[in-house]
Amino acid sequence: MSDSISGGCRCGAIRYELALDRLPRVYCCHCRDCQTWTGTAFSQQAVVPDSAFALTAGAPVLFELTNPSGSTSRQYVCGDCHTRLYNTNSARPGIVLIRAGTLDASDALDAVLHIWVKRKQPWIAFAQDVPTFEESAPADVFQHLVMGEPR
Ligand SMILES: [Zn+2]
Ligand SMILES: [Zn+2]
């Protein structure tokens, strides 16, 4: 068993590794954009410092989008199978947002925060002890829960 935490796209052309000593914690976003983008009920994302992220196979295709706030979102996608793997945002330098379902160990993730729950699909219920926010989470909450110090 390797120590490294790895992931990749559905067809296997793109592979990446995270230089972390544990799986990153993840948050779920239930906004309509995420529903559209994932084609499912919510997105599940891990916040990782870009210094801990490395591509190990393939070269993703880039899709750039300017947000209403003026920041630039850069979305990295497999050019073959079109899996959306990760993104960066000019408003948050130094951070890579991994689409957590692309992690090999996606069955072992801990979802610690739900945002934009006012847009959630009606059948979704949350565990009592997991914080939820109607819209975005305040920056300090987000920082603490997701990027977190070990608990
Ligand atoms: Zn692929
Ligand atoms: Zn969203």
Side-chain angles (χ1 to χ4, degrees), residues 35 59 91 112 122 143 145:
Q35 293 189 33
V112 298
Q143 184 92 9
L145 287 176

Side-chain angles (χ1 to χ4, degrees), residues 66-117:
T66 301
N67 291 313
S69 65
S71 67
T72 303
S73 173
R74 294 188 173 84
Q75 305 281 332
Y76 294 88
V77 176
C78 175
D80 292 330
C81 71
H82 295 194
T83 300
R84 184 169 159 243
L85 291 143
Y86 61 99
N87 73 279
T88 63
N89 191 302
S90 62
R92 288 203 273 168
I95 294 297
V96 177
L97 286 167
I98 308 285
R99 301 282 95 69
T102 66
L103 286 160
D104 294 340
S106 62
D107 57 338
L109 295 171
D110 193 10
V112 298
L113 176 67
H114 292 271
I115 63 171
W116 281 95
V117 302

